[in-house]
């Protein structure tokens, strides 16, 4: 994850020196490369990762159009749009299928794909290549768009709260010092975790989840006939004054340990709940912390004024017009300027 982050940040750094950057596509790129590396290791070529990434976003956008504008489906079929997207999907699957086959005959890697290939059911059987393909595609999709949206909203919220940014930086400094972040450090980030949870409350990437009732049921006064679609409106629960005081305001204190008991159960469910809840929550928090630890300590950042920031509920709650920000390299904290005959120099006391 660290290697992948270092590589992705080179491009981010180059762009941010030129002018304001839209953080949304950058966060997508960074998290996709990271999840791709965790899943498939460094042996999957960068151009293949890019092809898969493009296929996922293009096909997903098309699927949303098919759902929102179903009356266009006949047109998609005759105009060749459907076929074009099918082909794109097939190409991306083909690249991954070939990679999985190749890996079967190569020395073991240190990645999630290896774990999937080594996994055995209770009868000793392993997973077929097709199942591994489908599981890893699922992880790739579930593992980057969610975190990248969470990060984009988090940076947006933090841009209005320099006091929080300072405290997050202090926590990174005191927990990490100069060393890179690793998984065992995660529980030590008490304050930053509060900030992340509050951002996930205000902007839950999965703004709703749905289920189909397998049998007749009842919730309070509501009859739920078998076969109906039940929508759990996560965004609604997170913004309801019934469960939260001043629900629209950013207040990380809600998630301070002392206040935990005041929460209504299941009023905060960014990772879902029950047997089909998120299996990547810990990975996501690690990923967000890792990216924040580098971005916040390297840069000062400011929202470009005069832009409209709007949340658009697609499959994921995403910023409709992006979020443009200026990033400038910050001095190391505690650093100052040293006057010398040659001019000003940076010094770190
Ligand atoms: C901030 C980041 C994330 C959020 C907010 C999030 C949220 C969710 C939610 C709400 C669900 C439940 C969907 C439902 O009930 O229908 C879910 C499922 C899932 N998530 Fe995440 N997720 C995040 C990151 C990740 C990551 C990083 C991974 C993998 C590396 C991941 C893998 C999955 C998988 C595989 C499922 C399906 C589980 C199943 O159906 O049994 N998620 N996620």
């Amino acid at each position: 994850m660290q290697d992948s982050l270092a590589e992705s940040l080179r491009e981010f750094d180059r762009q941010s020196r030129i002018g304001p950057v839209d953080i949304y596509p950058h966060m997508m790129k960074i998290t996709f490369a990271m999840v791709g590396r965790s899943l498939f290791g460094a042996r999957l070529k960068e151009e293949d990762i890019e092809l898969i990434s493009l296929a996922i976003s293009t096909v997903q956008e098309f699927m949303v159009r098919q759902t929102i504008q179903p009356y266009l489906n006949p047109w998609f079929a005759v105009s060749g749009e459907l076929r074009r997207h099918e082909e794109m999907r097939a190409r991306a699957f083909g690249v991954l299928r070939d990679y999985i086959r190749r890996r079967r005959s190569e020395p073991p890697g240190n990645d999630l794909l290896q774990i999937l290939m080594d996994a055995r059911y209770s009868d000793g059987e392993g997973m077929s290549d097709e199942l591994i393909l489908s599981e890893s595609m699922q992880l790739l999709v579930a593992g980057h768009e969610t975190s990248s949206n969470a990060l984009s909203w988090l940076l947006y919220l933090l841009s209005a709260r320099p006091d929080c940014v300072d405290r997050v930086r202090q926590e990174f400094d005191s927990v990490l010092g100069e060393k890179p972040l690793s998984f065992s450090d995660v529980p030590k980030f008490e304050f930053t975790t509060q900030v992340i949870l509050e951002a996930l409350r205000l902007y839950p990437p999965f703004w709703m989840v749905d289920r189909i009732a397998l049998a007749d049921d009842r919730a309070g006064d509501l009859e739920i006939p078998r076969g109906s679609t039940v929508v759990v409106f996560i965004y609604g629960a997170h913004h309801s004054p019934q469960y939260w005081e001043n629900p629209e305001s950013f207040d990380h204190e809600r998630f301070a340990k002392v206040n935990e008991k005041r929460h209504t159960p299941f009023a905060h469910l960014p990772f879902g709940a029950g047997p089909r809840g998120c299996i990547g929550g810990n990975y996501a928090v690690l990923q967000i912390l890792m990216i924040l630890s580098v971005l916040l300590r390297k840069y000062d950042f400011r929202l470009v004024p005069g832009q409209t920031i709007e949340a658009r509920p697609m499959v994921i709650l995403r910023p409709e017009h992006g979020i443009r920000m200026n990033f400038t390299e910050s001095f190391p904290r505690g650093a100052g300027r040293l006057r010398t005959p040659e001019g000003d120099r940076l010094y770190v006391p």
Side-chain angles (χ1 to χ4, degrees), residues 35 138-139 142-144 146-147 150 200 205-206 209-211 234 269-272 275-281 283-284 287-288:
V35 177
Q138 162 107 359
L139 284 168
H144 84 288
T146 43
S147 317
L200 287 172
F206 267 105
V209 293
D210 57 354
R211 294 289 185 274
I234 295 180
L269 62 173
F271 295 107
R276 300 311 294 256
C278 183
I279 61 166
Y283 181 94
Q287 195 180 29
I288 293 171

Side-chain angles (χ1 to χ4, degrees), residues 20-324:
V21 289
D22 179 356
I23 53 169
Y24 176 58
H26 279 285
M27 294 305 122
M28 286 279 256
K29 265 192 150 165
I30 294 173
T31 53
F32 190 88
M34 221 182 216
V35 177
R37 184 72 65 91
S38 300
L39 260 172
F40 303 116
R43 280 182 257 174
L44 185 59
K45 291 197 287 271
E46 201 168 311
E47 66 252 35
D48 288 343
I49 284 273
E50 269 164 25
L51 184 142
I52 296 165
S53 165
L54 182 69
I56 288 177
S57 53
T58 314
V59 170
Q60 212 174 51
E61 217 159 278
F62 182 63
M63 282 166 65
V64 171
R65 281 181 71 199
Q66 286 178 305
T67 313
I68 295 177
Q69 300 167 298
Y71 49 88
L72 288 181
N73 283 341
W75 166 247
F76 292 148
V78 291
S79 66
E81 279 224 43
L82 184 62
R83 204 190 60 242
R84 202 168 59 77
H85 285 92
E86 279 293 340
E87 283 169 1
M88 200 170 196
R89 191 190 68 87
R91 244 193 334 273
F93 270 66
V95 166
L96 267 189
R97 193 176 285 115
D98 289 348
Y99 180 69
I100 293 168
R101 281 193 193 134
R102 214 167 54 240
R103 282 284 300 270
R104 290 273 192 206
S105 56
E106 287 181 359
N110 178 19
D111 50 28
L112 270 163
L113 179 60
Q114 193 64 47
I115 296 176
L116 292 178
M117 291 197 302
D118 292 345
R120 292 288 172 269
Y121 292 103
S122 48
D123 61 3
E125 275 292 303
M127 290 160 81
S128 69
D129 283 1
E130 278 310 300
L131 186 54
I132 291 182
L133 175 67
S134 142
E135 290 290 343
S136 41
M137 199 52 116
Q138 162 107 359
L139 284 168
L140 206 52
V141 173
H144 84 288
E145 224 190 325
T146 43
S147 317
S148 56
N149 276 277
L151 264 162
S152 303
W153 291 117
L154 177 57
L155 287 171
Y156 165 64
L157 291 166
L158 283 177
S159 69
R161 292 295 300 266
D163 56 321
C164 285
V165 175
D166 280 347
R167 282 187 67 185
V168 170
R169 282 172 169 162
Q170 277 162 20
E171 195 168 64
F172 280 128
D173 286 348
S174 71
V175 171
L176 297 176
E178 292 302 307
K179 74 178 176 60
L181 193 148
S182 66
F183 188 58
S184 57
D185 294 318
V186 172
K188 299 176 199 153
F189 290 100
E190 219 173 276
F191 179 76
T192 312
T193 306
Q194 287 171 28
V195 171
I196 295 173
L197 292 177
E198 176 65 343
L200 287 172
R201 182 186 71 80
L202 282 168
Y203 294 100
F206 267 105
W207 56 280
M208 64 99 173
V209 293
D210 57 354
R211 294 289 185 274
I212 295 170
L214 295 178
D216 290 342
D217 206 345
R218 160 182 285 279
D221 293 337
L222 192 69
E223 295 285 352
I224 303 172
R226 176 168 172 255
S228 25
T229 301
V230 179
V231 172
V232 180
F233 187 27
I234 295 180
Y235 185 95
H238 286 191
H239 286 253
S240 167
Q242 201 181 334
Y243 308 125
W244 307 97
E245 232 171 78
N246 299 323
E248 297 309 323
S249 71
F250 176 86
D251 178 7
H252 51 82
E253 281 297 318
R254 299 180 204 275
F255 294 97
K257 280 230 154 47
V258 286
N259 292 327
E260 262 171 18
K261 286 209 177 73
R262 298 173 56 196
H263 295 176
T264 309
F266 299 109
H268 185 253
L269 62 173
F271 295 107
R276 300 311 294 256
C278 183
I279 61 166
N282 287 336
Y283 181 94
V285 173
L286 174 64
Q287 195 180 29
I288 293 171
L289 283 172
M290 221 175 240
I291 296 171
L292 274 190
S293 78
V294 177
L295 281 185
L296 262 57
R297 296 205 294 173
K298 189 167 160 61
Y299 304 100
D300 287 323
F301 57 100
R302 246 186 294 155
L303 197 64
V304 173
Q307 56 182 317
T308 310
I309 308 286
E310 245 174 337
R312 181 158 193 222
M314 303 292 278
V315 179
I316 299 287
L317 189 68
R318 64 186 227 194
E320 162 92 83
H321 319 287
I323 302 176
R324 283 186 306 124

